[in-house]
Amino acid sequence: MASELPHFLVELKRRKVYHVAAAYVVVGLGTLGAAELILDPLGLGALRTAVVVLVLVGFPIALVLAWAYEVRPEESRTLETEATDAPEAPAAEGRKSIVVLPFDNMSPDPGDAYFCDGLTEEIITDLSHASSLRVISRNSAMVLKGTEKDTRTIARELDVQYVLEGSVRKAGENLRITAQLIDAETDAHLWAEKYDGVLNDVFGIQEKVSKSIVEALHLRFTPTQQERLSRRSIDDPRAYECYLRARHDLHLCSRESYRRAISTLESGLELFGENAVLLATLGNVYFWQVDVGVERDPGLLDRARELAERALALDPASAQGRMVLANLERRGGNLTTCARLMMEAHEADPSDPGIILLAGLTAVGYVGQHPVGTELLDRLLAVDPLTPINYMVAGLAHLYSEDSRSTGVEYTRKAYEMGLAMPWARFWIAYALAYNDRPDEAIRELREALEDGLPAPTGPMARFFLGALRGNRGEALGALDPETREYAWNDPDFPPVCAGMFALVDEKEQALEWSQHAVSRGYINYPFFATDPFLEGLRGDVRFERLVAELKPKWEAFEF
């Protein structure tokens, strides 16, 4: 019982019971004084006793009402809502911010870690619906899994005010979840709770945790945001467990983990029936195992499309279903359609960092909507600052904005220094340097990268670029072997890049061919063709100027 006293006292303070008590005492004493002054001259002094009784009886009633202003803790609390659906303006002291640290797995089975990660992710998603709260994304939060850093250090590095930490103990169907909200500046516990239940209670417990945090931080939700907080795309806890297992395996990105994810999802669909989340996730697995090269059967992409369409038929608002279709359109060379679908996915789920990344990339890269794309990517960096690929993509996006091209060098370099595990990292650093008229530094970066070793197709493309920067036509063209040429031709991002490299060595015919190929695939990035420094050798060529002129109205007419 004593252990509950600090929490009780914090609740009294948070609910302003102390304030109500003080105010009541002042008003009560004033009332008694007024009664004495008014009633005695009128010969009604006997009524003073009744006034005293009413004041005394009203005191505990006022305290109870103050406590119950927000519904009692054991009840499901109703969030404050605004009269309209307009987003709430941030508080005067600035937008509040929080990181939800990965919940510790206290279960007897270490394999239940996927469940803890899933619960962490769902709470992050719930809180992300509050426009007045900046929530660090799942990707960055998971980087801190098992960290020995204290809460103040974590909060300082992420520039957040609050830290949520907790643990999960899952034994069979039984669950025990603990959570505590910490003010990072003072290291004070603002709220703490323990929840016991069974697996079937997981959605209710998750919602209670999220609502308790919302209340502790005095956030307000619009009706739409409140509806999103209560919405559950999977109603069956067992199907939800299948989804969590499959998502865990999907992130491992290996042949074996993809196969486990497929098996888990197919079993879930067989046992629990059609579900949009399970279908879209399964489509995602089929797409990525082909896209990363684990499998080569193009029939798997047809299977991914079928699953995404089934998901959207069940849930037209499925963001994951749209993202699968967008990725398929990107791979198929329908870049304009890809950009529209990716933005639709973002509108359906504006808090998903993976969707924000791809929406920003396609907006800037494919359809030349720089303000939209760079705003999305800069916002992504604010909520997902520990994921290196975000800086790489944001850096390349800034290259295409003439007023922030130097940011491209800063961000691409930062991604590499953060440990971006992709062979292309140093290629794009060199690209950013050359784009900023720093060719000597770009040449040095490419030479050092090649000396360290780059696998195909990155190595041949780096040698092609190196020869182009040196102005050595033979070196550049000799590096572009048939396999690398085919790879770049079919890749959604490289045709306009290769056009610039051909132009650097005065290969105008090939530069025009690759430019036209990019446009034929839906690449309508007019600002790129109009300002790209590598394409300077094509300026004045009638065919190139005609291509750019025809592209401009398509770019101007484009709408998401």
Side-chain angles (χ1 to χ4, degrees), residues 32 41-42 118 152 175 193 245 313 348 350 353 359-360 379 455 457 484 489:
L32 293 176
L42 296 175
R152 285 186 178 180
L175 287 177
E193 195 58 86
R245 286 184 183 275
R379 180 159 59 85
T484 305
W489 184 262

Side-chain angles (χ1 to χ4, degrees), residues 202-400:
V202 64
F203 299 134
I205 294 173
Q206 173 190 315
E207 189 169 340
K208 285 179 181 178
V209 172
S210 299
K211 287 186 175 180
S212 294
I213 298 164
V214 166
E215 292 168 358
L217 297 182
H218 303 291
L219 302 174
R220 291 194 293 172
F221 274 39
T222 67
T224 298
Q225 291 166 347
Q226 183 177 337
E227 188 274 330
R228 281 179 173 171
L229 178 61
S230 302
R231 184 193 303 164
R232 289 287 171 260
S233 50
I234 299 182
D235 295 327
D236 192 314
R238 296 166 301 169
Y240 175 69
E241 192 168 7
C242 287
Y243 164 71
L244 293 181
R245 286 184 183 275
R247 279 292 301 270
H248 178 76
D249 282 329
L250 176 60
H251 290 140
L252 297 179
C253 300
S254 70
R255 185 186 301 272
E256 293 73 22
S257 69
Y258 285 137
R259 288 178 176 175
R260 282 197 307 270
I262 290 171
S263 176
T264 299
L265 291 165
E266 288 180 342
S267 296
L269 289 166
E270 183 178 344
L271 290 171
F272 311 119
E274 294 274 279
N275 177 275
V277 174
L278 297 184
L279 289 167
T281 305
L282 183 55
N284 215 16
V285 177
Y286 275 117
F287 171 80
W288 283 112
Q289 65 177 345
V290 175
D291 200 58
V292 303
V294 168
E295 300 290 349
R296 296 185 178 276
D297 181 4
L300 298 178
L301 297 177
D302 295 332
R303 175 71 170 145
R305 184 178 295 277
E306 175 204 342
L307 289 162
E309 290 173 346
R310 282 166 60 189
L312 286 165
L314 285 173
D315 178 12
S318 171
Q320 292 297 324
R322 279 180 171 76
M323 188 171 73
V324 174
L325 291 181
N327 278 322
L328 288 167
E329 295 300 329
R330 175 179 63 82
R331 188 176 175 88
N334 303 311
L335 303 184
T336 310
T337 303
C338 166
R340 285 199 176 95
L341 283 168
M342 201 60 77
M343 195 59 72
E344 287 177 9
H346 171 61
E347 290 169 357
D349 186 356
S351 65
D352 186 297
I355 292 177
I356 297 174
L357 177 70
L358 293 173
L361 171 65
T362 57
V364 173
Y366 301 159
V367 293
Q369 303 298 314
H370 296 166
V372 174
T374 52
E375 189 278 329
L376 281 173
L377 293 167
D378 287 343
R379 180 159 59 85
L380 176 62
L381 294 180
V383 298
D384 193 10
L386 302 184
T387 302
I389 189 65
N390 295 344
Y391 288 93
M392 181 61 70
V393 173
L396 296 176
H398 278 285
L399 287 182
Y400 300 140

